[in-house]
Amino acid sequence: MRTYQTEVLVIGGGATGTGVAYDLAQRGFKTILVEKRDLTHGTTGRYHGLLHSGGRYVVKDPKAATECIEENRILRRIMPHCLEDTGGFFVTTPWDDPDFGDRFMEACQATGVPCEEISVAQMLREEPLLNPKISRCFRVPDAAADSFLATQCVAEAARQYGAEVLIYHEVIRVIREGDRVIGVVCHDLVKDEEVSILADMVVNASGAWAGKIAHMVGLEVSVMPGKGVMVAANHRVVNTVVNRCKMPSDGDIIVPVHTVAVIGTTDQRVADPEHFAIERWEIDLMLEEGDKLVPGFRQMRMLRAWAGVRPLYQETKVADTRDVTRAYTLLDHETRDGVMGFITITGGKWTTFRQMAQVTADRVCEKLGVERPCRTHEEPLPALFESDRHTANGYHYLGARLTDIESHKSYGDLVCECELATRAVVEQAIRDGNAHTLDDIRRDVRLGMGPCQGGFCTYRVTGLLHLWRQTPVTESNVALRDFLQERWKGLKPVLWGAQLKQERLDEFIYLSVLNADHLPGEKASRLGPVMYEEEVNNE
Amino acid sequence: MNDVLVIGAGLSGLVAAWQAVENGRSVRVVAKGWGITHWHAGCIDVLGYYPLDNPEPVVALETAVSRLATEHPQHPYALIRLDNLQTAIEAFKALCATANYPLHGSLTRNWLLPSALGTFRPTCLAPATMIAGDLTDNTPMLIVGFSRWLDFAPALVADNLTHQGIQATHVTLDLPSLRQRKIVTALTIANLMETPAFRAELVNALKPYLSKAGRIGFPAVLGYTQATAVHQTLQKELGRPVFEIPTLPPSIPGMRLHHILLHTIRQKGGMVLEGLEATAATTQNGRITGLYTSAATRHRLHHAHHFILATGGILGGGITTNYTGEITETIFNLPLSTPVNRQSWFRRDFLDPQGHPIYQTGVRVNQQLQPLNENGQPIYENLQAIGTILANWEPIRERSLEGVALATGFIAGRGKTVTSHKTQTTSTSN
């Protein structure tokens, strides 16, 4: 069995785990991170992409609101190229309590979230598609975040400080020696072999999966996976993050992210972070709520739906997951359970990942008896791609990729026309990103995320992957089939109208023209997508 | 007033218009845009897989089509007679041969030709430019690609063919003529292929790789309107059989067929109007009397004796769906046979061999291709529906799209069945 020895092992390649690994590596610890799939595969890659101003929580969860605005300011400083400075609105629609606006303003002041009321006329000048029946509008410093890119940048920074990031390494056992956790055994999904990693300290940063990992140690950690469904519309219907000015509820936000606009979200408690359905009522609700903010939203073309699971930690059981605090939790299992060498960080939200990493790394220092200060709030994160260098006041902006293509005159080198992913960035993702699946490349370069959902680029990128990896052709074949299935997974819940037509074209290309359903080799691999559960048909 | 108004200019619509002009009928085609010809492999697939869960391709085509027609009495092939399919295929071959772009094949047996993934594509009729790729022959191949163009991946083709027992190597050529261009498309290369200078550049670049290759496979970009000449010249200059492999759309071989049909229809006096979207119809006493189209500038009403609906299914745009689960035929609001609710539209896997139930949606017709109401009676005496708007088949899983489009377009365009049937309909309704 392959064996590693390290000082700190971090479990989980989401925003939190990657942040912890970076922080620890920066403080000089020998660090290994393991992730069972690709980075951001869990909750980080499946949220709506909001950098919270804190506005969402000012009334209901002031502690979370303050954390958000503090981190908002820091992230704008250290990773502006991963953020789009869209700004945010909180708007009172005819369906919302008209008095909530005043409470909202007061709570913003109390928590330190900057907030300014603007006229509805001004709001409509900036966002002409918003419902003209909106009665009040408050401006807050929300922004749109690219959680894929941000996590890649943090991981790259961690690597630069010497950390090792092992993707497709799934923890299958935790090694315990008496009252001490001394390491884990992973299944390397790519090589299909077991790997043991011994560490002085193991950090469980597996988010919604934290309960499962703790269970392997024999500990009870109650993390409620709160499922949230999101739908991406084919257009950037707004250029500003738009929130409903009311208590948090389903379908209360539209976030413009890159070329699309994402509406979210529902909140359903699920038993298992891995197995759940996207239900029709959830999609219908998103369309209905979207229509209240942007009249006509329902009739627009939807590209895709997905669901993520929020890691909501609570020691006592609460029925409605919305009432669980959004603030994070650090569990020291030595004081809590008498088990040494093991701590859990869970809860929280993407916006506060850096702070969560900081307190976790502080605790690791304490446990290992060293004093090394955190510097992650000071040091800017690296840019990974050439186009990340095209910015608006340091921030990412929608035209960045086009500017890059125009400045390099690389019009003919597009692998994905929808998302303007060039051959150069795809090849960089294959080589440097050590991509195993087409979905890994998608997360790195946003391939196949536009209107045709991989109709054209799937073939092209399979060709490039095959060329660069030099693996047996059956591996390229299954990579193609896995990706077709992965795109299908998110299309299925929103297939009607123009998108159904598009999908039929994709079928025509991959079956009639390319005969991909008769490729030699496996039909699906263990690196392929985990499908949503089929909804029970009640009609 | 025209004898025939065809709505839609995909394969079935153009075949109907061609047959109509051939049979002395005056024709107008109105179409929002072009159809499947710009996407498909440029072959006539009649039936590639049957039954659908059988992963082995159909070889004995005629037997398989007969069996399908018997086992699936609602399938379009069950509604039209096999001899009609046969006649349509022969007539289409004759048309293409006259246009100096011969198609080869017959209902006796399917070809097995390489796809751009190196899989074995079963098809009935293939252009002469493709048939040297025959995979029942194991002559070693060299697969050629172009470095500036990602719509054809020669390594994938060659490695998959080799994996399946056909010895194949590959080369990607970095030709100066392509390197100097900012944008290289299938059409760029197809047009360049018609110039002797580019062909010389290509042949020279290929020389070092030829020794072991018994035949040479290119992406299907060997000329557009001069394909036969380009193909023959390359075979001569390279001294071995040369064949084309269909690529990602747009499809050059499909566009060649489109060009032949369009040219023939226009030459024989038919009118094809692109950019006119049919929106609604006027009817009187169980007949269609007129069809409205809209374009950027104005609405227009077209009159004709007969109307042929060839707007395509969900892919073509003849059938639309919305988020509430409604499924609609866009022009005449014809009744559709559909799966019951939105949850049963799809199966779990994208590549499920049975296909997704939603795509079986379509217009039910009788043997004369007249759309039927819920009671099985023709709705309009002078309306026929052809091609992928028809119900109860899975053209993509079966690889039967072009076969059905060709046969139903042929029958409707020829019009004889309708004429002879008209008296029948009258007598039954009396």
Side-chain angles (χ1 to χ4, degrees):
Chain A
M1 202 189 311
R2 187 154 46 103
T3 304
Y4 293 85
Q5 174 75 55
T6 186
E7 284 170 328
V8 192
L9 171 74
V10 182
I11 304 170
T16 313
T18 314
V20 170
Y22 165 52
D23 195 328
L24 288 167
Q26 194 184 50
R27 296 193 206 198
F29 290 102
K30 186 175 177 187
T31 308
I32 292 179
L33 179 143
V34 291
E35 159 58 45
K36 67 176 186 158
R37 308 285 291 204
D38 188 20
L39 295 178
T40 74
H41 182 268
T43 307
T44 302
R46 295 158 202 251
Y47 94 121
H48 42 42
L50 172 68
L51 175 71
H52 277 282
S53 60
R56 176 42 71 217
Y57 304 120
V58 286
V59 174
K60 186 155 184 179
D61 193 346
K63 185 175 169 230
T66 306
E67 279 169 13
C68 281
I69 189 61
E70 285 167 10
E71 286 303 305
N72 179 303
R73 294 193 174 106
I74 293 170
L75 296 187
R76 282 169 183 268
R77 208 165 59 227
I78 64 170
M79 52 162 67
H81 60 289
C82 303
L83 306 173
E84 193 184 343
D85 189 19
T86 59
F89 291 157
F90 276 77
V91 297
T92 307
T93 73
W95 294 268
D96 306 327
D97 173 10
D99 297 331
F100 190 84
D102 293 332
R103 282 172 69 195
F104 177 79
M105 277 285 264
E106 281 167 31
C108 281
Q109 267 161 17
T111 49
V113 175
C115 172
E116 168 207 7
E117 179 159 13
I118 64 169
S119 69
V120 172
Q122 177 62 28
M123 174 197 84
L124 288 171
R125 266 194 294 280
E126 293 180 34
E127 291 297 345
L129 296 185
L130 284 182
N131 192 339
K133 294 196 176 113
I134 285 169
S135 56
R136 297 183 77 175
C137 177
F138 304 91
R139 193 197 298 279
V140 295
D142 284 343
D146 184 332
S147 60
F148 301 107
L149 180 63
T151 308
Q152 292 294 342
C153 291
V154 174
E156 181 53 30
R159 284 189 203 101
Q160 286 174 9
Y161 278 107
E164 194 156 359
V165 177
L166 303 174
I167 57 171
Y168 291 103
H169 278 60
E170 180 172 13
V171 174
I172 50 173
R173 279 197 305 281
V174 174
I175 312 169
R176 205 175 142 165
E177 216 173 63
D179 289 339
R180 179 174 286 276
V181 169
I182 58 159
V184 302
V185 176
C186 292
H187 176 213
D188 177 340
L189 274 83
V190 175
K191 296 191 180 132
D192 196 18
E193 62 183 26
E194 290 193 0
V195 178
S196 79
I197 304 167
L198 301 176
D200 300 338
M201 191 81 209
V202 173
V203 178
N204 173 16
S206 55
W209 286 259
K212 289 191 157 188
I213 296 292
H215 187 74
M216 292 183 194
V217 187
L219 302 176
E220 184 69 32
V221 170
S222 159
V223 176
M224 292 187 231
K227 176 188 64 165
V229 167
M230 281 143 278
V231 180
N234 186 34
H235 304 91
R236 242 171 101 105
V237 289
V238 287
N239 286 309
T240 310
V241 174
V242 181
N243 303 269
R244 293 276 287 280
C245 192
K246 60 172 184 174
M247 292 299 266
S249 70
D250 292 347
D252 60 6
I253 185 166
I254 301 179
V255 185
V257 186
H258 292 269
T259 55
V260 303
V262 177
I263 182 155
T265 152
T266 52
D267 196 349
Q268 291 288 305
R269 186 176 177 166
V270 292
D272 183 329
E274 207 96 37
H275 299 101
F276 46 81
I278 291 181
E279 291 172 46
R280 181 171 169 183
W281 71 264
E282 295 180 288
I283 301 291
D284 290 349
L285 185 65
M286 289 305 108
L287 297 180
E288 197 180 312
E289 293 302 302
D291 219 64
K292 292 175 182 171
L293 286 169
V294 176
F297 187 83
R298 240 192 292 243
Q299 279 80 31
M300 289 175 185
R301 176 171 171 178
M302 297 299 142
L303 288 186
R304 192 172 179 81
W306 65 94
V309 278
R310 304 173 183 85
L312 302 178
Y313 174 78
Q314 190 98 352
E315 285 287 13
T316 53
K317 287 181 180 168
V318 176
D320 180 0
T321 50
R322 285 245 185 249
D323 290 331
V324 170
T325 173
R326 290 290 198 267
Y328 54 83
T329 309
L330 177 70
L331 299 177
D332 181 339
H333 295 289
E334 187 177 347
T335 52
R336 182 178 180 263
D337 309 292
V339 175
M340 288 176 287
F342 186 64
I343 58 176
T344 294
I345 175 77
T346 189
K349 58 198 90 45
W350 186 83
T351 303
T352 57
F353 82 88
R354 192 214 58 84
Q355 195 178 30
M356 291 163 71
Q358 179 176 350
V359 300
T360 308
D362 285 348
R363 186 63 60 96
V364 170
C365 285
E366 199 185 305
K367 293 276 162 200
L368 298 178
V370 292
E371 205 170 313
R372 292 171 188 167
C374 176
R375 288 190 291 117
T376 57
H377 55 293
E378 289 165 352
E379 198 168 307
L381 287 160
L384 295 184
F385 295 101
E386 190 58 32
S387 59
D388 296 340
R389 295 178 217 283
H390 295 279
T391 58
N393 302 322
Y395 291 103
H396 171 79
Y397 71 107
L398 185 58
R401 283 196 165 181
L402 185 59
T403 308
D404 189 50
I405 286 162
E406 284 175 339
S407 66
H408 288 87
K409 306 222 172 355
S410 51
Y411 314 107
D413 282 336
L414 294 177
V415 175
C416 168
E417 281 100 344
C418 303
E419 293 287 334
L420 299 178
T422 61
R423 181 177 182 153
V425 299
V426 169
E427 289 180 343
Q428 186 188 340
I430 295 172
R431 276 173 303 150
D432 306 351
N434 192 21
H436 297 289
T437 70
L438 300 195
D439 207 35
D440 296 349
I441 303 170
R442 170 186 73 84
R443 277 183 286 266
D444 288 1
V445 305
R446 296 188 65 78
L447 182 96
M449 290 169 84
C452 85
Q453 289 283 303
F456 286 77
C457 66
T458 302
Y459 174 80
R460 294 173 183 152
V461 78
T462 306
L464 291 173
L465 190 73
H466 185 63
L467 217 55
W468 284 99
R469 279 201 317 184
Q470 302 280 323
T471 47
V473 73
T474 47
E475 286 188 29
S476 302
N477 293 346
V478 80
L480 177 137
R481 295 180 60 136
D482 279 348
F483 193 58
L484 291 175
Q485 179 73 357
E486 196 281 334
R487 293 288 84 190
W488 171 248
K489 172 185 173 179
L491 277 160
K492 240 179 90 174
V494 293
L495 275 185
W496 59 78
Q499 197 62 9
L500 181 64
K501 186 177 174 181
Q502 177 76 57
E503 186 57 14
R504 188 62 164 165
L505 175 62
D506 293 354
E507 267 201 27
F508 186 76
I509 294 172
Y510 285 91
L511 280 78
S512 278
V513 179
L514 296 171
N515 211 359
D517 49 340
H518 295 90
L519 276 168
E522 286 176 290
K523 302 285 177 217
S525 81
R526 58 181 177 275
L527 308 184
V530 179
M531 297 299 285
Y532 297 117
E533 302 289 299
E534 292 285 314
E535 189 180 353
V536 183
N537 193 341
N538 293 322
E539 283 180 44
Chain B
M1 181 150 81
N2 287 101
D3 293 330
V4 184
L5 187 88
V6 180
I7 315 160
L11 187 62
S12 66
L14 290 182
V15 165
W18 157 57
Q19 273 305 299
V21 293
E22 288 285 352
N23 285 278
R25 304 165 87 191
S26 69
V27 176
R28 175 178 293 183
V29 180
V30 293
K32 185 181 175 187
W34 308 128
I36 205 73
T37 47
H38 287 55
W39 303 104
H40 78 151
C43 299
I44 303 297
D45 294 1
V46 170
L47 185 64
Y49 293 95
Y50 187 80
L52 287 179
D53 52 12
N54 181 1
E56 292 305 315
V58 166
V59 179
L61 196 44
E62 202 163 348
T63 322
V65 175
S66 302
R67 190 180 150 200
L68 179 149
T70 315
E71 291 174 354
H72 298 275
Q74 302 290 319
H75 194 286
Y77 279 146
L79 300 175
I80 58 167
R81 293 195 317 266
L82 195 62
D83 62 327
N84 277 319
L85 175 63
Q86 182 82 49
T87 315
I89 285 173
E90 290 311 320
F92 193 63
K93 279 172 74 174
L95 171 76
C96 292
T98 310
N100 192 27
Y101 184 66
L103 303 181
H104 293 272
S106 72
L107 284 181
T108 315
R109 95 184 219 304
N110 263 330
W111 292 102
L112 286 177
L113 300 174
S115 78
L117 280 174
T119 42
F120 290 33
R121 247 182 54 77
T123 189
C124 174
L125 296 187
T129 57
M130 290 187 192
I131 57 174
D134 184 2
L135 295 168
T136 58
D137 168 3
N138 58 11
T139 307
M141 298 175 168
L142 171 67
I143 308 293
V144 182
F146 301 102
S147 64
R148 288 297 315 281
W149 187 56
L150 297 172
D151 291 358
F152 184 75
L156 263 183
V157 180
D159 290 353
N160 265 319
L161 288 173
T162 305
H163 185 88
Q164 296 168 99
I166 305 284
Q167 206 187 323
T169 53
H170 61 92
V171 60
T172 298
L173 299 177
D174 188 20
L175 300 176
S177 298
L178 297 179
R179 210 184 312 138
Q180 69 176 12
R181 289 179 156 75
K182 287 290 175 208
I183 298 175
V184 175
T185 67
L187 199 56
T188 317
I189 308 176
N191 286 329
L192 279 170
M193 286 283 182
E194 297 186 353
T195 66
F198 182 79
R199 284 200 304 270
E201 188 182 332
L202 173 68
V203 170
N204 267 330
L206 265 179
K207 274 192 181 141
Y209 305 97
L210 290 178
S211 58
K212 284 181 197 157
R215 47 182 168 164
I216 304 170
F218 288 95
V221 291
L222 301 183
Y224 178 25
T225 57
Q226 314 288 321
T228 301
V230 172
H231 179 242
Q232 284 169 355
T233 316
L234 280 177
Q235 293 204 126
K236 210 172 95 195
E237 288 170 3
L238 292 166
R240 23 182 84 57
V242 161
F243 60 95
E244 292 186 305
I245 300 171
T247 67
L248 275 190
S251 161
I252 302 297
M255 287 159 67
R256 292 175 195 146
L257 296 179
H258 170 88
H259 181 81
I260 291 169
L261 282 164
L262 200 64
H263 180 75
T264 308
I265 295 162
R266 285 182 171 152
Q267 200 183 32
K268 294 187 189 269
M271 187 184 272
V272 181
L273 302 172
E274 190 213 4
L276 294 183
E277 182 177 7
T279 50
T282 57
T283 63
Q284 199 174 22
N285 301 329
R287 287 178 67 83
I288 310 285
T289 52
L291 180 86
Y292 283 103
T293 57
S294 77
T297 49
R298 63 194 169 119
H299 292 274
R300 224 169 131 175
L301 181 61
H302 310 258
H303 296 286
H305 294 297
H306 288 278
F307 291 82
I308 297 175
L309 180 64
T311 45
I314 284 168
L315 174 54
I319 294 171
T320 59
T321 55
N322 71 14
Y323 66 95
T324 64
E326 278 173 9
I327 311 176
T328 317
E329 187 282 308
T330 52
I331 302 168
F332 304 101
N333 198 20
L334 296 171
L336 297 171
S337 74
T338 60
V340 280
N341 62 51
R342 207 174 86 193
Q343 270 112 319
S344 54
W345 283 10
F346 307 108
R347 295 182 203 274
R348 183 177 178 275
D349 294 331
F350 176 67
L351 294 177
D352 189 299
Q354 297 297 333
H356 303 291
I358 180 66
Y359 301 128
Q360 302 265 339
T361 298
V363 176
R364 280 179 53 235
V365 294
N366 60 16
Q367 292 182 337
Q368 286 69 44
L369 304 175
Q370 295 168 300
L372 302 176
N373 63 20
E374 286 80 357
N375 304 321
Q377 296 299 313
I379 304 170
Y380 301 109
E381 186 195 337
N382 61 339
L383 177 68
Q384 289 167 294
I386 58 173
T388 50
I389 201 166
L390 299 178
N392 303 315
W393 61 312
E394 183 23 279
I396 292 179
R397 293 300 188 292
E398 286 173 2
R399 274 64 163 183
S400 58
L401 191 149
E402 293 91 347
V404 169
L406 178 60
T408 56
F410 186 84
I411 292 169
R414 208 173 38 169
K416 285 171 192 152
T417 340
V418 174
T419 325
S420 66
H421 183 69
K422 213 191 275 178
T423 46
Q424 262 182 37
T425 319
T426 324
S427 59
T428 37
S429 58
N430 289 343

